[in-house]
Amino acid sequence: MPHSAPPHPPRTAADQRDFETALRDVFEQRISFNKVLGFRIESFDPLEPRVRFDMRPELVGHYLYGRLHGGVISAVLDATAGFALMCALADKHRDEPAEQIVQRFLRLGTIDLRVDYLRQGIGERFHAAARITRLGGRIGSAQMTLVNEAGALIATAAASYVIS
Amino acid sequence: MPHSAPPHPPRTAADQRDFETALRDVFEQRISFNKVLGFRIESFDPLEPRVRFDMRPELVGHYLYGRLHGGVISAVLDATAGFALMCALADKHRDEPAEQIVQRFLRLGTIDLRVDYLRQGIGERFHAAARITRLGGRIGSAQMTLVNEAGALIATAAASYVIS
Amino acid sequence: MPHSAPPHPPRTAADQRDFETALRDVFEQRISFNKVLGFRIESFDPLEPRVRFDMRPELVGHYLYGRLHGGVISAVLDATAGFALMCALADKHRDEPAEQIVQRFLRLGTIDLRVDYLRQGIGERFHAAARITRLGGRIGSAQMTLVNEAGALIATAAASYVIS
Amino acid sequence: MPHSAPPHPPRTAADQRDFETALRDVFEQRISFNKVLGFRIESFDPLEPRVRFDMRPELVGHYLYGRLHGGVISAVLDATAGFALMCALADKHRDEPAEQIVQRFLRLGTIDLRVDYLRQGIGERFHAAARITRLGGRIGSAQMTLVNEAGALIATAAASYVIS
C-alpha cells in the first residue's frame, strides 16, 4: 500500500531561488532598520550563512576613534542569527514552498541575546556569521561572530529564539 | 598640620549644569548612532537616570506589526547604562570638573551585554532606565529596563563595563 | 445553555498545602544536587518566592577568603527561578491539582542563564529571590538576586525557561 | 651598555611541571567545591585546556532522567574558563615562576557568565573545554563547551573575568 505523498516535493533549484529572493527582499528591504544600517545577505550556505555591511558615519558610536556603536554590533549579530535559523529551517523543511519558510521568518522571535564586545569596531567592511547550536521544535540557539575586512574578531554573541 | 586641599571643590550648581550640558552634547549630538536613533536624555537624577526616544518608521524591525527592531532595543539599553554610569561617577567624583567626567565617558567600554526581549516593542514613545549594581574602580555593572508610554515592560538587560 | 464545568475547582487551602508539601519534597529531597547544596524553600509567596542555604566548607570556591564558589551561586539562582515559575504557574492554573503542577515542574527546562557576580560571596546564610518577568504559554523569564544575612547584594541573574 | 636581565628566564620544563603540579593542587584539592564535584584537569595545553568529571548520583538535577543539574554545568564551565585563563597567562608570562602564576589564579574573578543549556546532561563522563577570546591587561573573555563521552554538545557558555 503506497503511503501518502508529501504535500510538496523536496525544494527544487527554482524553489531555492524563490526562497532566496523572497528572504533577501524581507531581510534587506522590508525590515526598515536593517535597510537603515545597510545589512546585506552575503551567503545563503546553511553551513555558513553570512551578512555584511559597510562602515558609514551614521553607525559611529565613538567620534574620537570612528568605531562602530555597540548597538550596530548587537543588531547585526541578532539579525544574522535570525537569518541563519531561516536557512536551517529551509534546509530542514525542504518540502515547504518558499513562501511558507518566509512566514516562519515573520513568526521568529528573539528570546534573549548576549554580546561580548572584544575589540574596537574599527574597519571599512564588516562580516557577521552565525552557527546554529540547537534547532528544536520550539527553541533555536545560535552563536555569532563579527569580524572586519582584515579578519579581526570584534565581537561574539549567543542568543535564543522562539521558532515555529 | 593642615592636610592638602582637594584639587577641586565639590561640584557647584554651575558645574553640574556644565556637566549636564557637556554630557548631553556628547550623548545626543556627537555619538552619531544615538542621533540617528533619536535618543534624548530625559533625567540626570543619579538615582534614576533615563533616556527616551520616539517611534519612527526607520526603527521598525517587523513591518507587519510595526514593532521596534531588537537592535534599537539593545542600543538604547546599552547607551542608557553608559549614561547612568556617568551620572554615578559624577556623583562619586564631585570634586572633578565637568570636562574630566566627560573624559571618563569617552574611555568607558562595554564588556558584554544581555538583553531579554519580553514583549513586542510597540508604542509611540519609549523610556529606558538603568540602575547601577556595581561601581568598582575598574568594573561597573548595570541593570536596565525599557517601557513604552503605557508602562508595558518591553525588555530588561544586564551589562558589564570597563570604567576608569 | 450551561457551559461545561471546569475540570477542577480553584485550589483550596488543603490543595495548596498538598502542592507545597509535594514541591518541597521534589525541590529539597529528590533533586540530589539541591540536597547536596542544602537548598531550602523559604517562602512560597508567589510575589516573592525565596530559597535559602547555609555556608558550609564544601561550598567554598576560594580557600583563602572562604567565599562561595560561583557554581553554587549560579545553581541557587537557577533553582530559585525554576521554583518561582512553579509558584506562578500554580497561581495561574488554580484549577489544577497539586500533582499536575508538580508534573509541570518536572518538564521545566532552563534555556539559558546569565549571572553577574557583584560582590564576594561571604556570609553565614544566603537568601535567593526571583521575580517572573514573562509567563507565556511556552517561554518564561525571570530575574534573580542573592543576598547574605546582612543584606549585601552578592549576585544578580536573568534566565529563560521552556514551560508547558 | 647591557640592558638589565629579565627577573626570570623563560619557563623551563621543570618550572612548567612545578606550575602544573601547583595549579592542579589548587584546582582539584584546595577549591572545595571543585573537589566535591570531582573536577579533574585533563589537559594543560594552552591551545585546548580541558577539565573532566564523572557522573555521580549527587550531581543529578532531574531524578526521573538522571541528568546533570544545571548548577554542575555552570560550575564546570566557569571553572574551566578560569583554568584556561591561567594556562594563557602562564604562556604570556613565561618569565614568571610557577608560584607567581598561581597567585594570579587566586586574584582571578568572574565578572559574569552566560550558559546555554542545549541538550540534556546525560552521560557517564563529561569533558569541558575553553577558548580564550580576549586576554587584555584587565579583562579576559572566554567561550566554553561541555560534551559527554559520546561527543554530544550539552552546553555552551561565555564569560568575562577580571585578571591581573
Side-chain angles (χ1 to χ4, degrees), chain A residues 110-148:
Chain A
T110 312
I111 300 172
D112 59 61
L113 169 73
R114 176 195 171 99
V115 183
D116 287 86
Y117 301 94
L118 301 175
R119 279 171 198 77
Q120 301 189 8
I122 291 178
E124 295 177 8
R125 175 166 283 189
F126 301 95
H127 305 267
R131 190 169 69 95
I132 305 303
T133 52
R134 162 168 44 189
L135 188 67
R138 298 185 292 174
I139 306 293
S141 301
Q143 290 193 312
M144 298 84 93
T145 55
L146 182 70
V147 299
N148 65 9

Side-chain angles (χ1 to χ4, degrees), chain A residues 9-62:
Chain A
R11 180 159 297 118
T12 61
D15 194 42
Q16 177 68 19
R17 276 196 304 276
D18 286 353
F19 163 65
E20 295 188 5
T21 302
L23 194 60
R24 186 185 292 277
D25 179 57
V26 170
F27 188 90
E28 297 182 357
Q29 301 298 328
R30 301 183 72 175
I31 297 180
S32 306
F33 196 61
N34 283 1
K35 191 175 182 179
V36 168
L37 273 58
F39 296 167
R40 310 301 297 262
I41 291 175
E42 191 174 19
S43 161
F44 275 93
D45 181 349
L47 293 180
E48 199 190 358
R50 284 196 311 274
V51 170
R52 67 171 166 77
F53 65 102
D54 293 328
M55 177 50 104
R56 296 209 318 261
E58 309 93 275
L59 307 187
V60 166
H62 202 306

Side-chain angles (χ1 to χ4, degrees), chain D residues 13 16 18 27 31 39 42 58-59 61 66 72-73 99 123 125-126 141 160:
Chain D
Q16 178 68 19
D18 285 353
F27 188 89
I31 297 180
F39 296 168
E42 191 174 17
E58 308 92 275
L59 307 186
V72 177
I73 294 172
E99 68 199 78
R125 175 166 284 188
F126 301 95
S141 301
S160 301

Side-chain angles (χ1 to χ4, degrees), chain C residues 39-78:
Chain C
F39 296 167
R40 310 301 296 262
I41 292 176
E42 191 174 17
S43 162
F44 275 93
D45 182 349
L47 293 180
E48 198 190 358
R50 284 196 311 274
V51 169
R52 68 170 167 76
F53 66 102
D54 294 327
M55 176 52 102
R56 295 209 319 262
E58 308 92 275
L59 307 186
V60 166
H62 201 306
Y63 59 94
L64 291 185
Y65 307 118
R67 60 193 194 210
L68 283 179
H69 192 285
V72 177
I73 294 172
S74 55
V76 78
L77 292 173
D78 188 11

Side-chain angles (χ1 to χ4, degrees), chain D residues 137-151:
Chain D
R138 297 185 292 175
I139 307 292
S141 301
Q143 289 193 313
M144 299 83 93
T145 55
L146 182 70
V147 299
N148 65 10
E149 74 279 4

